[in-house]
Amino acid sequence: MFKAAIASFIIIATSFSFHFWPLPQKSSYHSLFISNSLSDNESISNHLYMLTRRPHVAGSEANAEAAAYVLSTLTSYNIPSHIASYDTALTYPVSRSLVLTRPSPDPPIKFSLQQEVYEGDPYADVANEVQPTYHAYAKSGTAVGPVVYVNYGRVEDYVTLKEMGVNVSGNVVLARYGEIYRGDIVENAYEEGAIGVLIFTDRKDYGGGGGDVKWFPDDKWMPPSGVQVGSVYNGAGDPTTPGWPSTEGCERLSDEEVERAGDVPLIPSLPISWADGDAIVRSIGGQVASDAWQGGKDAPVYRIGPGPGIVNLTYNGKQVLSRIENVVGIIEGAEEPDRFVILGNHRDAWTFGAVDPNSGTACLLEVAERLWKLQKKGWKPRRTIIFCNWDAEEYGLIGSTEWVEENRQMLASRVVAYLNVDIAVGGAGFKASATPQLDELLIQAAKQVPDPDNSSQTVYDSWISSTDNPAKIGRLGGAGSDYSAFVQHIGVPAADISFGEAYPVYHSMYDDFIWMNKFGDPMFQRHVAVASIWGLLALKLADNEILPFDYLPYALELQRSVESLKDEVANRGITLVPLVKSIKELETAATKINEERKALEGSKSWTSMCKDSQKVRELNDRLMMTERAFTDREGLPGRSWYKHLIYAPSKHNDYGSTSFPGIDDALEKAKNLNTADSWHSVQHEIWRVARVITQASLCLKGKLT
Ligand SMILES: *[C@@H]1O[C@H](CO)[C@@H](O)[C@H](O)[C@H]1NC(C)=O
Ligand SMILES: *[C@@H]1O[C@H](CO)[C@@H](O)[C@H](O)[C@H]1NC(C)=O
Ligand SMILES: *[C@@H]1O[C@H](CO)[C@@H](O)[C@H](O)[C@H]1NC(C)=O
Ligand SMILES: *[C@@H]1O[C@H](CO)[C@@H](O)[C@H](O)[C@H]1NC(C)=O
């Protein structure tokens, strides 16, 4: 009854345009936001259909059309919007060829490198607009050599190979997708002396395990000719403008300087299908790989090589200075317009992008539409809410990175939080990652939204009862999406949410509206749930008088990370005491500011309102700026763009999201070199992390020493 009463009160309040009554509590608007009366799965489905009619890679005319669609839709919801464009160095394929020479009597195979259009595919007439399969920023050139199978291409896989006495130097490696970022697969191969890299989609990982499993359009699995394209660039942002925005006519690095910077590959690579990978596996002899390295059901026996199969891998790409377009829409805050809550999602796609990323774009537009409806009922946000629809994410988080670099100072002083949705829906099951002060907020939001797959419980209920990692909140140390510049470059609290995790047709031609409608989200109710949680997070961050941040989970998380370091540094003459001490201080400071918050909330009354609002603002500033304190001017050793010393990719795995990346990298080096100097660097990194954590405590306390 309570809810129903409040809902009717809103209607009364908006039928008169004067305010004798106090404005309804913000929270009643928040409940309305997630109610059935405002959500609209038909509209989400329609946005997705419209956005994915054509393949729209960054820099293409089709992607400019999609930008125009987003701009006009936001504008139609009465949200003042504009385009922030950049000229960025993107690469496209010019020619590719792959020939496998096998021992006689088997004839050579010249692979077609084509993803097949299936019978009845409604997108057949635009299939030729899909880019030929390639790796963005791959090195142009030819690599001819015997093939070595390297499993997932991880550092530990090469350790195994060495133990088996296999040297990949001078060979072409065949790796499979699925465990680490493809850019790291190429980088690791290069460091081992490989001359070229082929990365295939294994049926074991993307084809339902192999055997007589069906594939798209009959099932959700990757078809035999399906290829996961993607970038192999290891940095963030336009490689020719590291650390500064790619504005028209700006300073740019030359090709040689880009190569020297070390984030673009120096050997050619190609992504290939499971059918082609299978044919190459069959040409490899030598030792039989271990069970963990084998394929799925009915797969041939995987051997290591080298050879006797020899491939000629040839790739030629071109680099083009391309115009990219971020669409930015702004709902100005009524009370604190200079505090920003940003919702971000990218728009550019390798192919049609129904899952990645336009399920997220459709949700972004849904959130915008619901906020428009709320505004019509009299709601105004306390703080400013900003919608960002990024471009060129797929190439290396380029649109978001250039924008953050261009607006760095404004953003660093004003952004409360950044809320990212890349893939909104790839399947069932809620997934979330965040900087830890947002953990509690995420849980609260998930408790308010109905589970799209079971209306008798909430998203939180199914999240907590999921069998793998119940209610686990991931961290944002990877470089997987557009939160990277916000968290890792300028230290903004952030979250990233989705339904479903890996989906099998990822970055292939089959990521289209049909796949989503049949397998990803047939009722578009998971999209509705993502929009509800995403918007609710934004509303709480924008409207709550005191920012809903809790730094206690942050301190506890850091304590756990230190625990896992203990074994690593044992008996090396290294002390973790400075780190342990700084985290203890953070815990104390977090407890104290939580008490301050309670006191302020308790003291609220009409008479002390004015005085309180100053206090509230000061407390909020401390809560907002504490995340910035984890950043360091100099950044990580050899990777100065990454300023955050807690969350950043580790050097050999961009997907990895470990805490203390600087310590991790130093440790890896020390274990390899085992010199006094290298262990000393580990200690130095420990000190550096301890110092930023101390800065965070001081910021939370708000007192000068
Ligand atoms: C691997 O082979 C390369 C080139 O043949 C050689 O220079 C290198 O020393 C070899 N590495 C090992 C560990 O045998
Ligand atoms: C490898 O393939 C390329 C492209 O087809 C061709 O130009 C080149 O001659 C081939 N190299 C060898 C050694 O076969
Ligand atoms: C749906 O949720 C209810 C209440 O939590 C639970 O008892 C039931 O088992 C769930 N149904 C399914 C199919 O998961
Ligand atoms: C929207 O949801 C309703 C109820 O779950 C469903 O009947 C309808 O088919 C859905 N619409 C779309 C476009 O999926």
Side-chain angles (χ1 to χ4, degrees):
M1 269 320 282
F2 179 57
K3 276 187 185 165
I6 288 171
S8 60
F9 183 60
I10 289 168
I11 293 159
I12 293 165
T14 51
S15 357
F16 304 94
S17 57
F18 49 88
H19 300 121
F20 287 120
W21 308 94
L23 280 170
Q25 286 290 314
K26 283 282 173 67
S27 66
S28 62
Y29 284 119
H30 298 181
S31 305
L32 184 61
F33 177 85
I34 56 173
S35 71
N36 286 334
S37 65
L38 256 63
S39 66
D40 190 350
N41 65 332
E42 302 282 337
S43 163
I44 296 174
S45 160
N46 186 51
H47 287 315
L48 187 67
Y49 176 78
M50 294 299 286
L51 287 162
T52 59
R53 283 174 303 173
R54 292 169 65 190
H56 48 286
V57 74
S60 67
E61 177 218 316
N63 201 35
E65 269 174 26
Y69 179 82
V70 171
L71 183 71
S72 70
T73 306
L74 288 176
T75 307
S76 76
Y77 300 149
N78 230 358
I79 298 174
S81 304
H82 66 274
I83 285 182
S85 61
Y86 300 94
D87 293 339
T88 57
L90 306 182
T91 76
Y92 304 95
V94 174
S95 68
R96 310 153 307 144
S97 90
L98 182 64
V99 177
L100 173 68
T101 313
R102 302 178 291 176
S104 62
D106 296 334
I109 303 175
K110 183 168 171 45
F111 296 104
S112 76
L113 306 177
Q114 299 286 334
Q115 302 186 81
E116 278 162 25
V117 174
Y118 61 88
E119 210 178 298
D121 183 350
Y123 295 103
D125 57 336
V126 286
N128 64 339
E129 293 179 22
V130 174
Q131 292 293 314
T133 52
Y134 80 120
H135 282 148
Y137 299 108
K139 174 86 176 165
S140 288
T142 290
V144 182
V147 188
V148 179
Y149 169 58
V150 298
N151 197 23
Y152 295 107
R154 299 167 296 190
V155 170
E156 61 261 42
D157 294 325
Y158 289 100
V159 172
T160 305
L161 286 170
K162 272 177 210 150
E163 284 164 5
M164 296 173 83
V166 176
N167 184 350
V168 304
S169 183
N171 296 311
V172 174
V173 305
L174 175 70
R176 53 183 179 181
Y177 274 122
E179 290 290 337
I180 59 171
Y181 173 57
R182 67 187 84 70
D184 289 317
I185 297 179
V186 177
E187 166 81 15
N188 293 346
Y190 171 74
E191 286 183 4
E192 296 296 327
I195 56 170
V197 183
L198 296 168
I199 312 180
F200 78 110
T201 292
D202 197 324
R203 278 193 86 184
K204 181 182 162 197
D205 302 306
Y206 297 85
D212 55 9
V213 173
K214 292 208 167 28
W215 49 77
F216 189 68
D218 300 316
D219 206 331
K220 67 177 180 179
W221 304 109
M222 183 77 114
S225 71
V227 175
Q228 179 196 128
V229 304
S231 182
V232 288
Y233 170 53
N234 269 316
D238 183 340
T240 67
T241 63
W244 66 88
S246 296
T247 49
E248 212 178 330
C250 72
E251 178 191 4
R252 275 176 204 283
L253 301 190
S254 67
D255 292 353
E256 296 71 38
E257 286 171 314
V258 168
E259 288 203 348
R260 238 180 295 133
D263 290 329
V264 296
L266 300 175
I267 51 174
S269 65
L270 269 184
I272 58 175
S273 65
W274 64 252
D276 295 354
D278 190 86
I280 296 173
V281 163
R282 287 171 198 273
S283 80
I284 303 175
Q287 303 177 62
V288 174
S290 68
D291 286 351
W293 287 41
Q294 292 297 324
K297 232 186 267 159
D298 297 349
V301 174
Y302 287 20
R303 293 170 183 273
I304 303 292
I310 291 174
V311 293
N312 176 344
L313 180 184
T314 299
Y315 169 76
N316 284 301
K318 62 176 175 195
Q319 185 165 305
V320 181
L321 205 59
S322 310
R323 178 62 52 104
I324 65 164
E325 301 180 316
N326 297 328
V327 183
V328 180
I330 301 175
I331 304 178
E332 189 159 294
E335 286 142 85
E336 297 187 81
D338 63 342
R339 288 293 174 264
F340 305 156
V341 175
I342 303 182
L343 293 86
N345 149 269
H346 75 96
R347 179 187 65 257
D348 65 299
W350 283 122
T351 66
F352 296 93
V355 178
D356 182 5
N358 300 123
S359 57
T361 318
C363 289
L364 187 82
L365 296 177
E366 164 76 3
V367 172
E369 181 173 0
R370 289 196 218 171
L371 291 186
W372 173 54
K373 290 175 182 166
L374 277 193
Q375 282 185 295
K376 287 198 288 191
K377 293 184 188 296
W379 166 83
K380 286 194 182 87
R382 175 186 178 92
R383 305 183 181 90
T384 294
I385 295 177
I386 303 178
F387 294 92
C388 292
N389 183 230
W390 310 117
D391 203 346
E393 187 270 355
E394 296 293 4
Y395 276 82
L397 317 177
I398 294 181
S400 58
T401 301
E402 299 310 312
W403 192 75
V404 168
E405 287 172 350
E406 184 169 36
N407 298 288
R408 190 186 66 222
Q409 210 53 40
M410 281 279 280
L411 296 173
S413 57
R414 297 182 173 200
V415 182
V416 164
Y418 173 71
L419 304 172
N420 193 64
V421 172
D422 184 321
I423 293 169
V425 184
F430 181 62
K431 300 282 182 296
S433 299
T435 48
Q437 75 278 63
L438 294 180
D439 286 3
E440 187 52 39
L441 179 68
L442 266 170
I443 290 165
Q444 280 179 21
K447 281 182 175 169
Q448 278 180 257
V449 173
D451 176 3
D453 294 299
N454 183 349
S455 58
S456 57
Q457 60 182 19
T458 66
V459 167
Y460 180 77
D461 295 327
S462 53
W463 189 23
I464 194 90
S465 62
S466 65
T467 46
D468 56 299
N469 292 319
K472 181 185 176 230
I473 298 175
R475 297 302 168 209
L476 299 173
S481 191
D482 292 303
Y483 52 76
S484 178
F486 287 93
V487 177
Q488 299 159 8
H489 190 55
I490 61 172
V492 166
D496 182 69
I497 59 168
S498 68
F499 266 77
E501 222 158 14
Y503 69 104
V505 297
Y506 173 64
H507 284 188
S508 79
M509 191 176 89
Y510 309 103
D511 178 358
D512 63 15
F513 186 83
I514 306 297
W515 190 93
M516 179 61 83
N517 202 27
K518 269 184 151 168
F519 306 113
D521 195 10
M523 296 289 184
F524 284 85
Q525 293 296 348
R526 292 173 187 156
H527 282 79
V528 168
V530 169
S532 292
I533 296 176
W534 197 7
L536 196 55
L537 292 171
L539 282 169
K540 288 171 189 266
L541 286 160
D543 282 343
N544 287 15
E545 207 164 9
I546 300 182
L547 291 175
F549 290 172
D550 181 358
Y551 280 90
L552 259 184
Y554 219 129
L556 299 178
E557 168 97 1
L558 294 178
Q559 269 161 19
R560 280 192 293 272
S561 302
V562 171
E563 283 305 314
S564 66
L565 270 182
K566 277 189 176 151
D567 284 347
E568 304 261 15
V569 299
N571 307 320
R572 298 288 185 181
I574 281 176
T575 174
L576 291 169
V577 168
L579 196 49
V580 171
K581 226 176 116 202
S582 70
I583 297 169
K584 198 80 203 146
E585 279 166 32
L586 183 68
E587 190 188 343
T588 309
T591 307
K592 192 153 166 294
I593 199 167
N594 286 351
E595 282 161 8
E596 275 185 70
R597 161 205 298 274
K598 275 201 202 97
L600 253 187
E601 279 165 350
S603 80
K604 295 245 46 159
S605 72
W606 285 104
T607 48
S608 63
M609 192 80 154
C610 225
K611 190 171 110 240
D612 277 352
S613 79
Q614 289 295 326
K615 274 194 182 169
V616 166
R617 173 84 176 195
E618 191 275 338
L619 183 87
N620 281 339
D621 279 356
R622 282 187 271 147
L623 289 167
M624 174 178 81
M625 295 309 285
T626 296
E627 184 70 39
R628 310 295 191 272
F630 293 119
T631 61
D632 176 89
R633 246 170 230 275
E634 282 167 28
L636 293 174
R639 299 188 289 156
S640 62
W641 186 85
Y642 292 99
K643 307 289 186 201
H644 204 288
L645 298 194
I646 313 291
Y647 294 116
S650 68
K651 225 171 194 160
H652 288 103
N653 181 4
D654 246 23
Y655 287 168
S657 86
T658 46
S659 309
F660 313 141
I663 301 177
D664 274 5
D665 285 348
L667 258 173
E668 189 180 307
K669 208 164 162 188
K671 282 194 219 155
N672 279 334
L673 301 175
N674 204 14
T675 58
D677 262 7
S678 63
W679 285 106
H680 182 72
S681 302
V682 174
Q683 185 68 68
H684 177 60
E685 290 305 316
I686 290 169
W687 277 111
R688 292 183 72 207
V689 174
R691 286 193 287 268
V692 295
I693 295 173
T694 301
Q695 287 287 331
S697 305
L698 286 171
C699 187
L700 273 186
K701 286 185 206 147
K703 294 250 163 44
L704 294 172
T705 58

